[in-house]
Amino acid sequence: AIFYSIINLASSGDNIVAARAIYGGTFTLFNETLPQFGIQVRFVDAEDPQHFAAAADENTRAFFCETVSNPALEVTDLESIANLAHENGLPVIVDSTFSTPYLCRPFEFGCDIVVSSMTKWVGGHGAGIAGIIVDKGGFPWGAGKHPIFDKADESYGGMRWGHDLPESLAPLSYILRARTVPLRNTGGCLSPDNAWIITQVNYLSSTKSENSLFYKTQ
């Protein structure tokens, strides 16, 4: 999910600014894999949100952080980072795996895109492997900060995702492109078995979160 969330808005020659205290697998993706696609990741200390703005330039396409970093347990000032991102015409992608949607709702703090592992607390069992991207909708993708959304997409009939969608669909341009371009073209869809396993227990996520809080405070 994180990989798709990045390649859906950045391409070779672009960069993102990310918190340095992030999950190990995400760090490896950012530090080793994305550079193979020509996408640079600039790591900053998220405890001072101003570091994100200081590291951004004309090729920056997004800020990335975690609600609570894993395993460093740094609590991120989402609202300040979102404000700085929007001042620079950029979206915030936040991984909410560690806090779950039950304990933190990043959209309420101005974040634009939420990614989460469904394998951990949301699934609650580790038996199914899945990730999710949730788009708040409404970010101005056609404002000139994201060339991917300005250029004609020949894989989808010359569509300019930030400009050519009808008014009713324009707020969904990011998630629509994610489904019809990187997901469709690379085939990383969820298997039926994993989807079934996740949906069987997802409705219990609030109960699991309350139980976890109870036992951790005793």
Side-chain angles (χ1 to χ4, degrees):
I2 293 174
F3 177 61
Y4 281 164
S5 76
I6 301 299
I7 65 170
N8 195 44
L9 53 74
S11 59
S12 181
D14 294 337
N15 68 74
I16 66 168
V17 180
R20 67 184 182 185
I22 52 177
Y23 179 63
T26 305
F27 181 85
T28 302
L29 169 67
F30 286 178
N31 197 54
E32 305 294 335
T33 304
L34 286 181
Q36 297 177 36
F37 291 81
I39 301 172
Q40 178 192 24
V41 179
R42 301 173 178 179
F43 296 100
V44 298
D45 181 359
E47 292 192 296
D48 183 352
Q50 291 293 337
H51 290 162
F52 283 85
D57 63 19
E58 67 275 7
N59 294 318
T60 302
R61 304 302 175 217
F63 291 170
F64 180 93
C65 59
E66 297 176 348
T67 51
V68 179
S69 64
N70 179 10
L73 298 179
E74 293 180 358
V75 179
T76 306
D77 185 347
L78 298 177
E79 188 169 15
S80 293
I81 292 173
N83 288 337
L84 290 167
H86 296 161
E87 288 174 8
N88 287 273
L90 303 173
V92 174
I93 303 172
V94 57
D95 185 341
S96 69
T97 297
F98 216 69
S99 57
T100 77
Y102 184 73
L103 300 178
C104 180
R105 299 173 181 174
F107 291 156
E108 296 181 0
F109 298 96
C111 297
D112 305 284
I113 300 158
V114 175
V115 294
S116 183
S117 169
M118 304 293 283
T119 305
K120 300 181 177 69
W121 287 283
V122 173
H125 43 54
I129 298 176
I132 191 171
I133 301 173
V134 184
D135 177 20
K136 180 180 180 180
F139 185 83
W141 296 103
K145 289 285 188 175
H146 296 85
I148 281 181
F149 287 81
D150 295 329
K151 297 177 182 177
D153 185 350
E154 299 305 327
S155 75
Y156 210 74
M159 169 76 74
R160 295 179 305 157
W161 291 97
H163 303 273
D164 297 336
L165 288 169
E167 184 178 355
S168 60
L169 294 178
L172 305 177
S173 57
Y174 177 85
I175 200 65
L176 289 176
R177 187 184 186 280
R179 292 169 179 165
T180 54
V181 182
L183 180 62
R184 182 191 67 170
N185 294 346
T186 62
C189 61
L190 189 61
S191 72
D193 188 48
N194 279 316
W196 184 85
I197 291 171
I198 294 295
T199 56
Q200 297 314 296
V201 296
N202 191 35
Y203 71 96
L204 292 172
S205 60
S206 61
T207 301
K208 294 196 297 285
S209 296
E210 293 231 8
N211 289 341
S212 296
L213 287 173
F214 174 79
Y215 288 117
K216 288 177 181 178
T217 55
Q218 300 309 302

